[in-house]
């Protein structure tokens, strides 16, 4: 809890004013604040920060801020799911998938794939989760912690959709 309090203190101390804070910086700050609010169960505050972030992204450069747009959709999905709105969470994940397809490859795809998979499993969408976990596994460093997590979660998702043999195969890799 001490780290969250410190993160909240630092976040509140950042005042995005002046020319050094562009729309993408302000959007990033709003998204980070929303994630803190979500971790504390403050959903109305999180939604407010997400709306601020969306406005800043719209004010930013056209076609820019793809990473911020991706994180906004992931945080929105998490917020929707936290308020028991799985259909809206799944819709936000679908938007996030389209945004992710427009961003260059990189190690970030592993953590994003895991995040998407977790949200989709919680939204009772195991087919989509299996796809997300497979994406994460394909990009994770071999036998690293992320790969092990992706393997275990992929096996669970596959088992949930009746693909037991394939799930067992992934579980024993």
């Amino acid at each position: 809890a001490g780290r969250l309090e410190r993160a909240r203190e630092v976040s509140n101390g950042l005042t995005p004013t002046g020319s050094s804070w562009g729309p993408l910086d302000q959007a990033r700050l709003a998204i980070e604040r929303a994630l803190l609010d979500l971790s504390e169960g403050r959903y109305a505050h999180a939604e407010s920060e997400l709306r601020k972030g969306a406005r800043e992204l719209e004010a930013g450069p056209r076609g820019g801020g793809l990473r911020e747009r991706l994180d906004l959709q992931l945080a929105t999905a998490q917020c929707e799911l936290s308020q028991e709105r799985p259909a809206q969470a799944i819709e936000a994940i679908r938007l996030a998938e389209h945004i992710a397809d427009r961003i260059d490859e990189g190690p970030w795809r592993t953590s994003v794939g895991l995040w998407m998979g977790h949200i989709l499993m919680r939204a009772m969408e195991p087919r989509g989760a299996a796809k997300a976990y497979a994406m994460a596994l394909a990009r994770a460093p071999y036998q690293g912690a992320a790969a092990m997590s992706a393997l275990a979660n992929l096996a669970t998702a596959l088992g949930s959709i009746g693909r037991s043999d394939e799930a067992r195969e992934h579980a024993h890799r």
Side-chain angles (χ1 to χ4, degrees), residues 121-137:
M121 279 299 283
R122 288 179 48 218
M124 305 237 209
E125 183 67 29
R127 286 187 198 294
K131 178 182 166 191
Y133 290 137
M135 178 187 83
L137 179 59

Side-chain angles (χ1 to χ4, degrees), residues 20-33:
S20 65
W21 285 84
L24 296 181
D25 295 326
Q26 292 184 41
R28 170 59 54 201
L29 181 58
I31 294 164
E32 296 299 333
R33 285 180 174 164

Side-chain angles (χ1 to χ4, degrees), residues 157-165:
L158 290 171
S160 297
I161 57 176
R163 293 167 55 185
S164 302
D165 291 339

Side-chain angles (χ1 to χ4, degrees), residues 8-153:
R8 169 74 55 207
E9 181 183 308
V10 168
S11 173
N12 288 336
L14 295 173
T15 311
T17 58
S19 60
S20 65
W21 285 84
L24 296 181
D25 295 326
Q26 292 184 41
R28 170 59 54 201
L29 181 58
I31 294 164
E32 296 299 333
R33 285 180 174 164
L35 290 170
L36 278 171
D37 289 333
L38 284 172
S39 72
E40 296 171 345
R42 298 165 24 129
Y43 307 125
H45 285 103
E47 286 181 323
S48 175
E49 291 292 344
L50 291 170
R51 283 191 300 275
K52 280 185 213 173
R55 281 192 305 273
E56 292 299 334
L57 286 171
E58 290 306 313
R62 185 163 174 81
L66 290 176
R67 288 301 305 268
E68 288 78 8
R69 290 177 194 281
L70 174 63
D71 288 348
L72 178 75
Q73 290 305 317
L74 292 170
T76 298
Q78 190 171 333
C79 186
E80 295 292 358
L81 193 57
S82 296
Q83 296 178 83
E84 300 189 25
R85 298 188 294 235
Q88 291 89 338
I90 292 169
E91 183 180 331
I93 288 294
R94 298 298 176 240
L95 288 170
E97 288 172 339
H98 290 294
I99 294 166
D101 288 343
R102 296 172 48 205
I103 303 174
D104 293 336
E105 288 290 323
W108 62 271
R109 286 192 180 267
T110 301
S111 61
V112 166
L114 289 170
W115 194 0
M116 287 180 180
H118 296 330
I119 291 170
L120 289 167
M121 279 299 283
R122 288 179 48 218
M124 305 237 209
E125 183 67 29
R127 286 187 198 294
K131 178 182 166 191
Y133 290 137
M135 178 187 83
L137 179 59
R139 291 171 170 90
Y142 184 70
Q143 291 190 343
M148 297 299 114
S149 178
L151 270 173
N153 286 298

